[in-house]
């Protein structure tokens, strides 16, 4: 099997090469993102290995089909960037890694909360410059606060438990409530009650047509004044302009995001010598109460192990025509 590997980074190559010793696939690594311009690199390959910001819309899928590509191995959980109608129509099978480390993402959400709240990022810089003042570093106790968790799947459920560990009251909203979480003391509510009662809201649903911009000026308005909003799921869950307005008015107290609506072309790249032309991210970066990480919630050694192993096994199962539960059905 020849596999065209798009958007690769040094760590991808390191991890995939290590685990590929057992599998022996032929990888062709491309640093570039999969786009209409770069899709031609997949010529001669049986499969494409892609990541969250690769473009797998209909025109690309049609090109891949013409090039003879029969399988797409997503090395991530989300597949909102894949046109599944197009893959189905062209008989291209799509596989993913459903859960490489839900703990990594849930723990990163906690890291965002603790950093924003206790301002350790500011303290770190201050102290290094000999500034030992505590002015404006005041935080709040997490103990006793109410946390609203939207989406209690694999990541959301772990996040609920972490917050219970801090002594928080946890409210949850999901189309399919988790009975086990209820037994542990998590209370399911409707979205309005969750938003209006929570000191911190964490988004843990996939990006779907029904969840796109679920946080907008109307839902932001339902939130408690000065509440914290955390998003480690997908940028499109939040209407960024509405969040900026809520931050400017003070309605939203703080925002911690690992994902951003227009993150393609920004996240995962070193643009330190370039002019950032995206005014929304520049505005977000100007707020003292906004913390942005560039889609690193998943980024642990354990997660990279799991991503590589499961992706390679998905490719092998596809090659051998074996049943595999990681197939994404259109
Ligand atoms: P999951 O599929 O286990 O859970 C998603 C939950 O959302 C389910 O319980 C589902 O019922 C619920 N849900 C779906 N639509 C909903 C709606 N309209 N209203 C309320 N609840 C709804 O997914 P998992 O593994 O927990 O991942 C969640 C998301 O996290 C992924 O879709 C992905 O976008 C994101 N993610 C981000 C990563 C990062 O590095 N920042 C890494 C991995 C995943």
């Amino acid at each position: 099997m020849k596999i065209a590997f798009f958007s690769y980074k040094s760590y991808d190559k390191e991890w995939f090469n290590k685990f590929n010793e057992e599998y022996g696939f032929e990888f062709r690594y491309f640093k570039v993102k999969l786009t209409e311009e770069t899709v031609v690199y997949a010529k001669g390959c049986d499969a494409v290995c892609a990541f969250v910001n690769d473009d797998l819309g209909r025109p690309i899928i049609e090109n891949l089909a013409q090039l003879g590509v029969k399988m797409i191995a997503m090395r991530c959980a989300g597949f909102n960037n894949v046109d599944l109608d197009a893959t189905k129509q062209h008989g291209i099978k799509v596989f993913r890694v459903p859960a490489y480390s839900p703990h990594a993402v849930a723990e990163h959400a906690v890291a965002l909360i603790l950093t924003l709240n206790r301002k350790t990022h500011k303290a770190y810089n201050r102290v290094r410059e000999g500034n030992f003042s505590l002015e404006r570093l005041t935080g709040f106790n997490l103990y006793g606060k109410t946390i609203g968790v939207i989406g209690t799947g694999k990541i959301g459920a772990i996040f609920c438990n972490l917050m219970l560990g801090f002594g928080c009251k946890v409210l949850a909203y999901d189309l399919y409530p988790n009975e086990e979480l209820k037994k542990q003391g998590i209370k399911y509510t409707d979205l309005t009650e969750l938003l209006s009662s929570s000191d911190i809201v964490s988004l843990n649903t996939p990006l779907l047509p029904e969840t796109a911009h679920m946080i907008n000026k109307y839902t932001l308005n339902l939130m408690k004044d000065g509440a914290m909003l955390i998003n480690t799921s997908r940028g499109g869950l939040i209407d960024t302009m509405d969040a900026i307005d809520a931050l400017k008015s003070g309605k939203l107290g703080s925002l911690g995001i690992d994902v951003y609506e227009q993150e393609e072309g920004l996240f995962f790249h070193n643009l330190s010598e370039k002019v950032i032309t995206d005014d929304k991210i520049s505005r977000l970066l100007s707020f003292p109460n906004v913390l942005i990480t560039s889609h690193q919630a998943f980024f642990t050694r354990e997660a990279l192990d799991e991503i590589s192993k499961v992706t390679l096994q998905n490719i092998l199962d596809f090659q051998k025509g074996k049943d595999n539960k990681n197939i994404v059905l259109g």
Side-chain angles (χ1 to χ4, degrees):
M1 282 281 273
K2 284 188 190 147
I3 299 130
F5 200 108
F6 284 90
S7 306
Y8 94 84
K9 301 287 178 200
S10 60
Y11 45 85
D12 290 313
K13 203 170 180 179
E14 184 187 338
W15 253 265
F16 271 84
N17 282 352
K18 182 172 72 181
F19 286 102
N20 193 36
E21 282 173 16
E22 270 177 52
Y23 290 83
F25 295 124
E26 189 182 321
F27 277 110
R28 292 191 187 161
Y29 286 104
F30 302 106
K31 278 208 161 80
V32 288
K33 177 181 151 176
L34 178 56
T35 62
E36 281 191 65
E37 287 73 44
T38 63
V39 62
V40 67
Y41 296 157
K43 192 173 176 194
C45 291
D46 312 286
V48 153
C49 184
F51 197 49
V52 290
N53 291 329
D54 284 307
D55 182 352
L56 289 146
R58 178 170 284 277
I60 314 285
I61 301 297
E62 285 171 357
N63 270 300
L64 289 175
Q66 274 172 14
L67 293 171
V69 168
K70 295 177 184 58
M71 186 239 190
I72 295 170
M74 298 301 294
R75 53 182 193 280
C76 54
F79 50 88
N80 51 284
N81 50 337
V82 186
D83 186 326
L84 293 176
D85 286 337
T87 51
K88 195 172 176 185
Q89 191 184 331
H90 291 282
I92 295 179
K93 301 282 185 255
V94 182
F95 292 74
R96 67 179 183 130
V97 185
Y100 31 93
S101 183
H103 288 278
V105 183
E107 288 171 16
H108 191 77
V110 177
L112 291 176
I113 291 172
L114 287 173
T115 310
L116 268 175
N117 174 18
R118 304 305 300 269
K119 306 178 178 65
T120 44
H121 54 321
K122 296 185 185 201
Y124 173 82
N125 285 327
R126 276 192 195 185
V127 169
R128 283 172 72 90
E129 291 184 2
N131 176 357
F132 298 94
S133 151
L134 299 185
E135 298 291 339
R136 299 186 312 281
L137 292 183
T138 327
F140 57 84
N141 286 3
L142 280 177
Y143 179 81
K145 293 293 182 297
T146 301
I147 315 295
V149 184
I150 303 181
T152 54
K154 290 177 283 299
I155 295 168
I158 293 167
F159 178 74
C160 285
N161 274 302
L162 294 176
M163 298 322 291
L164 284 181
F166 279 96
C168 296
K169 179 179 169 194
V170 182
L171 302 179
Y173 169 71
D174 196 299
L175 299 177
Y176 305 98
N178 174 333
E179 294 305 319
E180 203 47 49
L181 286 179
K182 281 190 193 168
K183 283 187 212 151
Q184 286 158 13
I186 274 90
K187 184 183 165 213
Y188 279 88
T189 65
D190 60 27
L191 191 56
T192 305
E193 188 185 336
L194 180 144
L195 292 170
S196 57
S197 314
S198 300
D199 300 292
I200 300 173
V201 172
S202 173
L203 306 180
N204 297 101
T205 60
L207 179 61
L208 302 166
E210 313 83 68
T211 58
H213 285 187
M214 73 191 309
I215 300 297
N216 53 49
K217 62 181 163 198
Y218 301 105
T219 46
L220 281 160
N221 218 23
L222 293 172
M223 289 175 71
K224 267 188 171 180
D225 289 347
M228 182 188 286
L229 177 64
I230 299 293
N231 186 9
T232 55
S233 283
R234 284 293 179 267
L237 296 178
I238 299 180
D239 183 318
T240 309
M241 264 331 285
D242 289 353
I244 289 172
D245 287 342
L247 285 160
K248 279 162 78 176
S249 71
K251 172 72 190 171
L252 189 58
S254 52
L255 175 69
I257 53 174
D258 184 54
V259 286
Y260 167 62
E261 247 185 316
Q262 266 87 45
E263 67 179 53
E264 294 90 340
L266 275 179
F267 284 15
F268 308 118
H269 301 287
N270 178 358
L271 304 178
S272 53
E273 300 298 320
K274 302 239 166 79
V275 171
I276 306 279
T277 53
D278 180 330
D279 291 346
K280 286 192 212 168
I281 195 104
S282 298
R283 186 66 182 99
L284 283 175
L285 288 168
S286 74
F287 290 102
N289 48 350
V290 171
L291 180 61
I292 304 176
T293 52
S294 57
H295 213 132
Q296 73 173 77
F298 74 99
F299 202 48
T300 62
R301 284 191 290 276
E302 292 80 357
L304 288 173
D305 283 354
E306 198 61 18
I307 289 171
S308 320
K309 283 193 276 188
V310 174
T311 304
L312 291 166
Q313 191 58 43
N314 287 345
I315 297 170
L316 185 66
D317 287 349
F318 167 77
Q319 187 184 23
K320 297 202 161 167
K322 273 189 169 173
D323 279 349
N324 180 312
K325 63 181 180 355
N326 300 333
I327 193 161
V328 182
L329 299 170

